[in-house]
Amino acid sequence: MQPDKALLSRHPRLASSVPISFFSCSTRLFFLLCLGFVLLATSGCVTRKTANIHYGILTSHPLATQAGLKILDQGGNAYDAALAASGVLAVVQPRTAGLAGCSQWLLKKAAREIQVLDATCTAPQYIEPKLQLKASGSRTWLVEASGAQAAAVPGHPGGLTYIAEHFSQMPLKSVFEDAIRLAFYGFRADQETRKLLGLHGDAVVKQPALAKTLAYFAKNPSSGFYHRETAKALVRDFNQAGVPWSKIDLKQYQVALRQPLQFDLEDSQLYFAPAPSAKGAILKQVFAIAEQLEWQDISAAQKRFQLGQVLRAGFEKLPQKIGDPAFVTVHLENQFAEDYIEAFAYDIQTTYIIAGTTLPASIVSATNGMPQTNASVVAVVDGYGNMIAGAISNQDQGRAGFFSPSTGLLLNTGLTTFHQTQLTPRHFITDSVQNGLSAGKRPVNLLSPVIKVGATVTDIYLAGDDTESISTLFWQLLPEPIQLDSETLVYDPLNDQFAQDTATKTTIAPGTLSITRDGQVSGALGMFHNGQIIAR
């Protein structure tokens, strides 16, 4: 049989090296079929999971965990799963995880460094003319404690958009399917959520306006919230409520990418979100102080109390030096200086030596069961080395946020987290000139997950956006030689008092998701006891 001259003309090297018989019709057909089987067999290796690949997901609600798990089972990566879970949380936990809230993310691609995605809220433009310069140098405005005037420009949608465009491998409209379905067809909500949405009885909660907003956002992630129909509807609802928001407020919003705040703790490295988050900076200082203390010849009560004073020290000066780095200069070097830390430790060690073994009188109350948290959380690890941890908050602290009827969105109360000389601050940490109000500025917050990288295990820790979360993480992360056997203390800096945990440390433990070097995944819900964790 004659060779295929057309084929040879396209590949002249074949004509000189391959026997003519190779190009018989039957042989060529066999070759092409074999090549096709090889390509088909290898094409799924990138996305499909095999039996020896492990993954895990933890969220603050079982429906969100199930949505993320479905995406992982379909071959999605950790970021796809986190987006699916976040969409569902926006439906089932609107008070803490609404789409019009704020979020902070730690992200790690396989073999790459950890990144911080700051999707916290910013102050709208209309407040600028209302600001008054005070004698202290701070500019303040008496913000309403709730309602439309308390709302800051949402950052959470910007964070989800960035993850979808830079980390996800599935389209957002696919991973948001469960969220849209739950919003439209409804779900059985707890009493708190029904009350929040103005519903009574055990009726299924349906949110058709929110379903429409989520569907539009999922179809147009780059423009579906801060531009076009959703933005127009939000501005219209605010204007009707007497608050002069404009489309510029939404159009100008940008997420911020930051390098994490990192410090060593024994043989591990801890990673937090940097300023304007204060959580990592406070914990860096308190751990440095705790490591300087001497523990010989003191009672358990004395040890407990001294560790409580370490927590108090963390709130003394450092938080007031933190603010949005785009607006103020954040210098913390002196707060971490060795001589400063040693002096702090010496003062605690010498001042708070207590006679006897009874607890000091300043420990005034006991925590009752599981503490409430003002944040929703998502953490996912997959079998490809990807890792994501997010904390989401409407920053409402029990205040009533503005409800936008056209979009079905419950807005945050982020403006109340700026420095307010005429209002009691939500956090002790917000009461500083560095955290003064300004258009486009982000407020100081405690909204940061934690990643702890050890020699054999990497842990994700999740807690709330409140001062209690500092105590929670402090007791969880303390090095073993310093740990207490049972009771721990929660420090309340606003009232300068301690609450004793009367049960065990597990009642104030953060949520955790851990993955070993060989890929084994485990975790614990901790304070997010109403959530769900699945590790495979």
Side-chain angles (χ1 to χ4, degrees), residues 57 64 67-69 71-72 76-86 175 378 380 388:
I57 176 169
L69 180 66
I71 295 299
L72 289 171
N77 63 22
Y79 314 109
D80 296 314
L83 289 171
S86 298
V175 300
V378 178
V380 190
I388 179 170

Side-chain angles (χ1 to χ4, degrees), residues 109-120:
K109 278 190 173 181
R112 296 189 184 181
E113 297 295 323
I114 294 171
Q115 288 183 287
V116 176
L117 176 60
D118 184 342
T120 52

